[in-house]
Amino acid sequence: MATIIDGRALAATIKKELKVEVAALREKVGRVPTLAVVLVGDDPASQIYVRNKEKTCEEVGIASIGIRKPASTSQEELEEIVKNLNEQEDVDGILVQLPLPRHLNAQRIINLINPSKDVDGFHPVNMGKVVLGLFDEGLMPCTPYGVMKIFEAYGIELQGKNAVMVGHSNIVGKPLANMMINKNATVSVCHVYTRDLKSYTLNADILCVATGVPHLIKADMVKEGAVVIDIGISRVNGKIVGDVDFDNVKEKVQAITPVPGGVGPMTIAMLMYNTVKAFKLREGL
Ligand code: GUN
């Protein structure tokens, strides 16, 4: 019987610990960590994600500043918003929800965020720290960081294992592949141009999938006894599904994350963790 990894429970534990820490920081410093969340446009999924992030801030005791701008916002206006947030002493974390409307250049916006306030961990400086394995001094991207926390909490050893990352996005695939390399796994990165994907996935002791293609990974593509981490989320006929055919794959693996309730809740927990970390680094704590 496969272990069904409970990301909700693990995230709840992390949030509970952070809540205690934030209360202590409030006493010590006289203010609480503060996260600015910028949402441009009215993408329905982004609206839900942003609302969840703000709700979780409240749960943990982190202050949040919501900045909503219309889809017509210009590159210059958005850059001005980021620059102002960089300068505000009482803002510890800045998050610009992605994707941005097509006329905006997201990388140029990310590059402008002060790396010490970049709680998404998307700035090139923080990405560089991911590659170098400098966990302590940087802010790590939340989703891959959440996956690494799952490995840690469930005693899943990476050293010497064959790890396969399906998906090579800047947000998940590239940083997670690097984090697994830093734990001495042998990592293959597959993506939409990979020929014979199955020949790679069948060899995976650890299989991480982040493509956004519903049920891409079928049972015959997975090695017996593997650990499967599903980082995809799609809506199919009104139902939320992952990139893995969970019902069939779970029969042959050692452990698997469900969707929803697997990696998703960990992303938000790690965003809270990063906001508290940014606060502490900025306060010299
Ligand atoms: N869009 C999808 N995932 C993320 C994320 O982790 N951070 C931001 N800012 N936007 C996203």
Side-chain angles (χ1 to χ4, degrees):
M1 268 291 275
T3 300
I4 309 299
I5 292 168
D6 191 345
R8 258 190 212 116
L10 184 53
T13 304
I14 292 170
K15 287 186 287 184
K16 214 155 72 187
E17 287 168 5
L18 286 172
K19 186 175 179 175
V20 173
E21 189 175 7
V22 167
L25 288 169
R26 179 203 284 269
E27 287 300 306
K28 189 174 173 137
V29 180
R31 68 179 191 95
V32 292
T34 301
L35 173 65
V37 182
V38 183
L39 175 59
V40 183
D42 39 32
D43 176 65
S46 290
Q47 284 175 334
I48 295 170
Y49 290 142
V50 162
R51 215 176 305 131
N52 277 340
K53 287 169 185 178
E54 289 171 341
K55 220 171 66 194
T56 311
C57 280
E58 205 174 303
E59 215 181 292
V60 172
I62 291 172
S64 71
I65 301 169
I67 298 166
R68 305 282 196 274
K69 290 288 164 187
S72 58
T73 302
S74 70
Q75 182 80 23
E76 292 68 29
E77 281 174 275
L78 187 54
E79 289 183 5
E80 213 41 54
I81 289 168
V82 170
K83 284 183 199 160
N84 280 330
L85 292 171
N86 277 342
E87 276 160 27
Q88 279 182 36
E89 276 304 319
D90 55 354
V91 169
D92 302 288
I94 302 168
L95 181 150
V96 179
Q97 186 64 28
L98 304 177
L100 289 171
R102 258 207 292 274
H103 67 280
L104 297 173
N105 182 327
Q107 192 62 53
R108 264 176 49 201
I109 300 293
I110 291 166
N111 292 353
L112 263 187
I113 299 174
N114 180 338
S116 69
K117 296 190 178 190
D118 168 39
V119 285
D120 262 328
F122 293 164
H123 189 282
V125 164
N126 285 317
M127 281 293 174
K129 288 178 181 176
V130 169
V131 174
L132 297 172
L134 300 174
F135 266 80
D136 290 344
E137 58 178 80
L139 296 165
M140 302 294 127
C142 304
T143 302
Y145 201 3
V147 174
M148 297 309 285
K149 285 279 171 197
I150 286 175
F151 290 146
E152 197 182 305
Y154 280 82
I156 296 164
E157 179 62 47
L158 284 136
Q159 185 152 299
K161 300 280 178 65
N162 287 336
V164 173
M165 177 73 239
V166 185
H168 69 335
S169 69
N170 290 343
I171 292 182
V172 180
K174 288 179 195 172
L176 183 51
N178 280 280
M179 288 178 187
M180 294 193 292
I181 290 171
N182 287 328
K183 291 289 181 188
N184 302 321
T186 303
V187 181
S188 307
V189 181
C190 302
H191 43 72
V192 67
Y193 297 106
T194 298
R195 280 175 278 173
D196 196 6
L197 176 63
K198 186 175 166 179
S199 69
Y200 292 89
T201 58
L202 266 180
N203 196 33
D205 304 309
I206 314 271
L207 177 59
C208 300
V209 194
T211 65
V213 179
H215 290 182
L216 173 70
I217 304 296
K218 311 282 188 212
D220 69 347
M221 298 170 74
V222 177
K223 181 173 164 178
E224 196 89 35
V227 171
V228 177
I229 306 291
D230 190 347
I231 312 158
I233 183 158
S234 313
R235 193 181 286 272
V236 176
N237 300 329
K239 192 172 171 243
I240 301 285
V241 299
D243 290 359
V244 177
D245 180 6
F246 179 85
D247 288 339
N248 295 309
V249 170
K250 78 172 192 310
E251 299 303 330
K252 62 185 297 193
V253 298
Q254 178 200 322
I256 185 167
T257 58
V259 177
V263 175
M266 290 300 292
T267 297
I268 298 195
M270 299 322 292
L271 174 65
M272 299 299 117
Y273 176 91
N274 273 351
T275 305
V276 173
K277 185 176 181 183
F279 173 93
K280 288 191 292 187
L281 288 173
R282 294 183 67 247
E283 291 289 343
L285 296 169

